[in-house]
Amino acid sequence: MALCSLSTNIIHEVEESLDEDEKEMLLFLCRDAAENLSPSNVRDFLGSLNERGQLSVAALAELLYRLGRIDLLERILKTNKAAVEAHLRKYPPLVSDYRVLMMEIGENLGKSEVSSLIFLIRDYTGRGKNKSFLDLVIELEKLKLIASDQLNLLEKCLQTIGRIDLKTKIQKYRQSGENFWPLGSLQYCIQNGRSREPRIVEHLGIQREPVKTSIQESGAFLPRHIHEERYRMQSKPLGICLIIDCIGNDTENLEGTFTSLGYNVQCFLFPNTDDIIQIFCRFAHMPQHQDYDSFVCVLVSRGGSQSMLGMDQYHSGFSLDRIKRMFMGDMCPSLIGKPKLFFIQNYEVLEGHPEDSSLEVDGPAMKDVDPKVLQPGPCTVHPEADIFWSLCTADVSQLEQSSSSSSVYLKNLSQQLKQERKRPLVDLHVELMDKVYAWNSRVSAKEKYYLSLQHTLRKKLILSCP
């Protein structure tokens, strides 16, 4: 099959022949196969690939084959299904088995089932509306909640809505490639916020089996020991862990957990709002950060939707967003390029106090900062990078009913970190969300916990030395 680039007439004819659902699927299938390309329509996308020499007749034929448009293979590209399958047996595919699997699952879900999935995953994604299953998959990929080797959440949701057949499809996919990567797939490694040049994975002497139509039957695998970049976690201590607790039920457990992980833990119990603000200012300006590999903050208190209170609840409180800003790279240069982890338990006061709009915090003066900490590497790191923001809210009435009970969120967080510290933090948090979800399923509305994760981590983070 010819490997030459395509004429614009062919691209135009293909684009005109696809319906909207097929166009969405095509863009989804190509998400791993193009660097820094995000055109809003298929024609511009294929045109950009073509200009860069990444779109051959063979590549377009594979895409049409995956979409089931054999008629277009024959009419526009003058080839057929058998020729495409023969090509795929001989050369690396453009589209990964994972992408094909997600497309096939989406095609087998009805609108009401997609709506049910969106509702089930709302604890993770928030209340945003997704138009389709593939939109949902893309959002979960951005949140690091789903990937080619991370499908537990989707399996559970499919089981909940009664689609055991699709759960079985995922299990067969996993069994066919357990502990392996597809050989010869086009891969892009994200490193330091930039995409490397694409590369074809080498054969490494492993026998390649024929590529078959069914995704579960595809062979050709490569051991999954290819290097994946991790944050450096070797300093002693790993960093400062700041714990501010205005409730007092979880401090001892949290202190033990983060001490065992190798952090220098600093605890502050029952401070008022002004004291909390001063504590944050002092810790944001600490020069010791330049000698450590990370920073952790645990905050437990009452608050509103966007702010929290100290013990002096008459005070207007302090903004969570501004606390986060204090530790960003532009305001805390000694933490540039290092993971900054926030675990927040907010017992929400529904009719709370107005948020404080007066708190402004300045970073350390540039003349007081060691110039070497302003040079994180060959590329500039965005100030909002490397932040892990885990926020759990619960009704304040829980404290009134039992003033000595631990937070379900913080209790399970401590257990996860103690028992499985050698696993990536994002993976642990997904399981933590599952545990909180299980708790919510058996308690009343006022006893529920609402957990969300936002992060800008650029590398794998494991809270232990490699």
Short mmCIF file of all heavy atoms in Angstrom, two decimals, residues 332-369:
data_model
loop_
_atom_site.label_atom_id
_atom_site.label_comp_id
_atom_site.label_asym_id
_atom_site.label_seq_id
_atom_site.Cartn_x
_atom_site.Cartn_y
_atom_site.Cartn_z
N CYS A 332 6.95 31.64 45.05
CA CYS A 332 7.82 30.83 45.91
C CYS A 332 8.87 30.15 45.02
O CYS A 332 8.77 28.95 44.72
CB CYS A 332 6.98 29.80 46.66
SG CYS A 332 7.91 28.84 47.89
N PRO A 333 9.86 30.91 44.55
CA PRO A 333 10.83 30.39 43.58
C PRO A 333 11.59 29.16 44.04
O PRO A 333 12.01 28.34 43.21
CB PRO A 333 11.79 31.57 43.36
CG PRO A 333 11.00 32.78 43.77
CD PRO A 333 10.11 32.33 44.87
N SER A 334 11.76 28.97 45.34
CA SER A 334 12.53 27.81 45.81
C SER A 334 11.77 26.50 45.63
O SER A 334 12.35 25.43 45.80
CB SER A 334 12.91 28.00 47.29
OG SER A 334 11.75 28.22 48.08
N LEU A 335 10.48 26.58 45.25
CA LEU A 335 9.70 25.37 44.97
C LEU A 335 9.41 25.18 43.48
O LEU A 335 8.62 24.34 43.11
CB LEU A 335 8.38 25.40 45.75
CG LEU A 335 8.48 25.11 47.26
CD1 LEU A 335 7.13 25.30 47.94
CD2 LEU A 335 9.01 23.70 47.51
N ILE A 336 10.06 25.96 42.65
CA ILE A 336 9.87 25.81 41.20
C ILE A 336 10.27 24.40 40.76
O ILE A 336 11.33 23.89 41.11
CB ILE A 336 10.69 26.85 40.41
CG1 ILE A 336 10.08 28.24 40.55
CG2 ILE A 336 10.78 26.48 38.93
CD1 ILE A 336 10.88 29.33 39.86
N GLY A 337 9.39 23.76 40.00
CA GLY A 337 9.69 22.44 39.47
C GLY A 337 9.52 21.31 40.45
O GLY A 337 9.74 20.14 40.11
N LYS A 338 9.10 21.61 41.68
CA LYS A 338 8.93 20.59 42.72
C LYS A 338 7.45 20.41 43.03
O LYS A 338 6.68 21.37 43.00
CB LYS A 338 9.68 21.00 43.99
CG LYS A 338 11.17 21.23 43.78
CD LYS A 338 11.83 21.78 45.03
CE LYS A 338 13.31 22.08 44.79
NZ LYS A 338 13.97 22.63 46.00
N PRO A 339 7.04 19.18 43.35
CA PRO A 339 5.61 18.96 43.65
C PRO A 339 5.19 19.64 44.94
O PRO A 339 5.88 19.57 45.96
CB PRO A 339 5.51 17.43 43.76
CG PRO A 339 6.89 16.97 44.04
CD PRO A 339 7.81 17.94 43.37
N LYS A 340 4.05 20.30 44.86
CA LYS A 340 3.46 21.00 46.01
C LYS A 340 2.08 20.38 46.26
O LYS A 340 1.18 20.53 45.43
CB LYS A 340 3.36 22.49 45.71
CG LYS A 340 4.74 23.14 45.50
CD LYS A 340 4.66 24.44 44.75
CE LYS A 340 4.59 24.24 43.24
NZ LYS A 340 5.88 23.85 42.64
N LEU A 341 1.93 19.68 47.37
CA LEU A 341 0.75 18.86 47.62
C LEU A 341 -0.13 19.50 48.69
O LEU A 341 0.37 19.86 49.77
CB LEU A 341 1.16 17.46 48.08
CG LEU A 341 2.34 16.80 47.34
CD1 LEU A 341 2.61 15.43 47.91
CD2 LEU A 341 2.06 16.72 45.85
N PHE A 342 -1.42 19.61 48.39
CA PHE A 342 -2.38 20.18 49.34
C PHE A 342 -3.50 19.17 49.58
O PHE A 342 -4.13 18.70 48.62
CB PHE A 342 -2.96 21.48 48.79
CG PHE A 342 -1.96 22.58 48.63
CD1 PHE A 342 -1.17 22.66 47.47
CD2 PHE A 342 -1.77 23.55 49.60
CE1 PHE A 342 -0.23 23.67 47.31
CE2 PHE A 342 -0.84 24.56 49.45
CZ PHE A 342 -0.07 24.62 48.30
N PHE A 343 -3.73 18.84 50.84
CA PHE A 343 -4.83 17.97 51.25
C PHE A 343 -5.72 18.76 52.19
O PHE A 343 -5.28 19.14 53.29
CB PHE A 343 -4.30 16.70 51.92
CG PHE A 343 -3.36 15.91 51.06
CD1 PHE A 343 -1.98 16.06 51.19
CD2 PHE A 343 -3.84 15.01 50.12
CE1 PHE A 343 -1.10 15.32 50.40
CE2 PHE A 343 -2.98 14.28 49.32
CZ PHE A 343 -1.60 14.43 49.46
N ILE A 344 -6.94 19.05 51.78
CA ILE A 344 -7.80 19.98 52.51
C ILE A 344 -9.12 19.33 52.90
O ILE A 344 -9.82 18.80 52.03
CB ILE A 344 -8.07 21.24 51.67
CG1 ILE A 344 -6.74 21.90 51.29
CG2 ILE A 344 -8.97 22.22 52.41
CD1 ILE A 344 -6.87 22.96 50.23
N GLN A 345 -9.43 19.35 54.17
CA GLN A 345 -10.73 18.92 54.67
C GLN A 345 -11.48 20.15 55.14
O GLN A 345 -11.11 20.77 56.13
CB GLN A 345 -10.59 17.92 55.80
CG GLN A 345 -11.91 17.53 56.47
CD GLN A 345 -12.85 16.77 55.53
OE1 GLN A 345 -12.62 15.62 55.21
NE2 GLN A 345 -13.91 17.43 55.09
N ASN A 346 -12.54 20.49 54.43
CA ASN A 346 -13.31 21.69 54.73
C ASN A 346 -14.71 21.28 55.18
O ASN A 346 -15.48 20.72 54.41
CB ASN A 346 -13.40 22.58 53.48
CG ASN A 346 -14.10 23.89 53.74
OD1 ASN A 346 -14.45 24.20 54.87
ND2 ASN A 346 -14.30 24.67 52.69
N TYR A 347 -15.02 21.54 56.44
CA TYR A 347 -16.37 21.31 56.94
C TYR A 347 -17.18 22.57 56.64
O TYR A 347 -17.02 23.60 57.30
CB TYR A 347 -16.34 21.01 58.43
CG TYR A 347 -15.70 19.68 58.74
CD1 TYR A 347 -14.36 19.59 59.12
CD2 TYR A 347 -16.43 18.50 58.64
CE1 TYR A 347 -13.77 18.36 59.39
CE2 TYR A 347 -15.85 17.26 58.91
CZ TYR A 347 -14.52 17.21 59.28
OH TYR A 347 -13.94 15.99 59.54
N GLU A 348 -18.01 22.45 55.61
CA GLU A 348 -18.62 23.64 55.03
C GLU A 348 -19.77 24.18 55.88
O GLU A 348 -20.69 23.46 56.27
CB GLU A 348 -19.12 23.32 53.61
CG GLU A 348 -19.44 24.55 52.80
CD GLU A 348 -19.55 24.23 51.32
OE1 GLU A 348 -18.95 23.23 50.87
OE2 GLU A 348 -20.25 24.98 50.63
N VAL A 349 -19.69 25.48 56.11
CA VAL A 349 -20.74 26.21 56.80
C VAL A 349 -21.63 26.82 55.73
O VAL A 349 -21.22 27.73 55.01
CB VAL A 349 -20.15 27.32 57.70
CG1 VAL A 349 -21.27 28.04 58.46
CG2 VAL A 349 -19.13 26.74 58.66
N LEU A 350 -22.85 26.31 55.59
CA LEU A 350 -23.70 26.73 54.48
C LEU A 350 -24.05 28.20 54.55
O LEU A 350 -24.09 28.90 53.55
CB LEU A 350 -24.97 25.87 54.45
CG LEU A 350 -24.72 24.38 54.19
CD1 LEU A 350 -26.04 23.63 54.15
CD2 LEU A 350 -23.98 24.18 52.88
N GLU A 351 -24.31 28.69 55.75
CA GLU A 351 -24.60 30.11 55.90
C GLU A 351 -23.42 30.73 56.62
O GLU A 351 -23.49 31.20 57.75
CB GLU A 351 -25.90 30.32 56.69
CG GLU A 351 -27.12 29.78 55.96
CD GLU A 351 -28.39 30.02 56.74
OE1 GLU A 351 -28.30 30.62 57.83
OE2 GLU A 351 -29.46 29.60 56.26
N GLY A 352 -22.29 30.71 55.94
CA GLY A 352 -21.05 31.12 56.57
C GLY A 352 -20.77 32.60 56.46
O GLY A 352 -21.66 33.42 56.27
N HIS A 353 -19.53 32.93 56.55
CA HIS A 353 -19.07 34.30 56.58
C HIS A 353 -18.64 34.74 55.18
O HIS A 353 -18.25 33.93 54.37
CB HIS A 353 -17.88 34.42 57.53
CG HIS A 353 -18.19 33.92 58.91
ND1 HIS A 353 -18.70 34.73 59.89
CD2 HIS A 353 -18.10 32.67 59.45
CE1 HIS A 353 -18.88 34.01 61.00
NE2 HIS A 353 -18.52 32.76 60.74
N PRO A 354 -18.69 36.02 54.89
CA PRO A 354 -18.21 36.48 53.58
C PRO A 354 -16.72 36.23 53.44
O PRO A 354 -15.99 36.27 54.42
CB PRO A 354 -18.52 37.98 53.61
CG PRO A 354 -18.58 38.34 55.06
CD PRO A 354 -19.13 37.14 55.75
N GLU A 355 -16.32 35.94 52.23
CA GLU A 355 -14.91 35.67 51.99
C GLU A 355 -14.10 36.94 52.07
O GLU A 355 -14.53 38.02 51.69
CB GLU A 355 -14.74 35.03 50.61
CG GLU A 355 -15.39 33.67 50.55
CD GLU A 355 -15.37 33.12 49.15
OE1 GLU A 355 -14.64 33.70 48.33
OE2 GLU A 355 -16.06 32.12 48.89
N ASP A 356 -12.92 36.81 52.61
CA ASP A 356 -12.04 37.95 52.75
C ASP A 356 -11.48 38.35 51.40
O ASP A 356 -10.95 37.52 50.68
CB ASP A 356 -10.89 37.60 53.71
CG ASP A 356 -9.95 38.75 53.90
OD1 ASP A 356 -10.15 39.53 54.69
OD2 ASP A 356 -9.01 38.90 53.26
N SER A 357 -11.59 39.60 51.04
CA SER A 357 -11.09 40.06 49.75
C SER A 357 -9.88 40.97 49.92
O SER A 357 -9.39 41.57 48.98
CB SER A 357 -12.20 40.84 49.01
OG SER A 357 -12.62 41.95 49.78
N SER A 358 -9.39 41.06 51.17
CA SER A 358 -8.31 42.00 51.42
C SER A 358 -6.94 41.34 51.51
O SER A 358 -5.92 42.02 51.45
CB SER A 358 -8.57 42.75 52.74
OG SER A 358 -8.64 41.83 53.82
N LEU A 359 -6.92 40.01 51.68
CA LEU A 359 -5.65 39.33 51.87
C LEU A 359 -4.85 39.31 50.58
O LEU A 359 -5.25 38.76 49.59
CB LEU A 359 -5.88 37.90 52.35
CG LEU A 359 -4.64 36.99 52.41
CD1 LEU A 359 -3.65 37.54 53.40
CD2 LEU A 359 -5.03 35.57 52.77
N GLU A 360 -3.72 39.93 50.58
CA GLU A 360 -2.79 39.88 49.46
C GLU A 360 -1.43 39.50 50.02
O GLU A 360 -0.99 40.03 51.04
CB GLU A 360 -2.69 41.24 48.74
CG GLU A 360 -3.96 41.63 48.01
CD GLU A 360 -4.25 40.75 46.83
OE1 GLU A 360 -3.34 40.02 46.41
OE2 GLU A 360 -5.39 40.78 46.33
N VAL A 361 -0.76 38.62 49.37
CA VAL A 361 0.52 38.13 49.88
C VAL A 361 1.58 38.34 48.81
O VAL A 361 1.39 37.95 47.66
CB VAL A 361 0.42 36.63 50.22
CG1 VAL A 361 1.73 36.15 50.81
CG2 VAL A 361 -0.73 36.39 51.18
N ASP A 362 2.66 38.96 49.18
CA ASP A 362 3.76 39.18 48.26
C ASP A 362 4.80 38.08 48.44
O ASP A 362 5.03 37.60 49.54
CB ASP A 362 4.44 40.53 48.52
CG ASP A 362 3.50 41.69 48.20
OD1 ASP A 362 2.72 41.54 47.24
OD2 ASP A 362 3.53 42.70 48.91
N GLY A 363 5.43 37.72 47.33
CA GLY A 363 6.50 36.73 47.41
C GLY A 363 7.75 37.35 47.97
O GLY A 363 7.83 38.56 48.21
N PRO A 364 8.78 36.55 48.23
CA PRO A 364 10.04 37.07 48.77
C PRO A 364 10.70 38.00 47.77
O PRO A 364 10.58 37.83 46.56
CB PRO A 364 10.87 35.80 48.99
CG PRO A 364 10.29 34.80 48.06
CD PRO A 364 8.83 35.12 47.97
N ALA A 365 11.41 38.96 48.28
CA ALA A 365 12.11 39.91 47.40
C ALA A 365 13.14 39.16 46.57
O ALA A 365 13.80 38.25 47.06
CB ALA A 365 12.80 40.98 48.25
N MET A 366 13.27 39.56 45.32
CA MET A 366 14.17 38.84 44.41
C MET A 366 15.61 38.87 44.90
O MET A 366 16.35 37.94 44.69
CB MET A 366 14.07 39.44 43.00
CG MET A 366 12.72 39.26 42.36
SD MET A 366 12.24 37.54 42.18
CE MET A 366 13.43 37.02 40.95
N LYS A 367 15.99 39.95 45.59
CA LYS A 367 17.37 40.03 46.03
C LYS A 367 17.69 39.01 47.13
O LYS A 367 18.84 38.71 47.40
CB LYS A 367 17.68 41.44 46.56
CG LYS A 367 16.80 41.88 47.72
CD LYS A 367 17.16 43.30 48.14
CE LYS A 367 16.21 43.85 49.20
NZ LYS A 367 16.12 43.09 50.42
N ASP A 368 16.60 38.47 47.77
CA ASP A 368 16.82 37.51 48.84
C ASP A 368 16.79 36.06 48.36
O ASP A 368 16.92 35.14 49.15
CB ASP A 368 15.74 37.68 49.92
CG ASP A 368 15.83 39.06 50.58
OD1 ASP A 368 16.95 39.57 50.68
OD2 ASP A 368 14.79 39.59 50.98
N VAL A 369 16.60 35.87 47.05
CA VAL A 369 16.45 34.52 46.53
C VAL A 369 17.74 34.08 45.86
O VAL A 369 18.33 34.81 45.06
CB VAL A 369 15.29 34.46 45.51
CG1 VAL A 369 15.17 33.05 44.95
CG2 VAL A 369 13.99 34.89 46.16
#
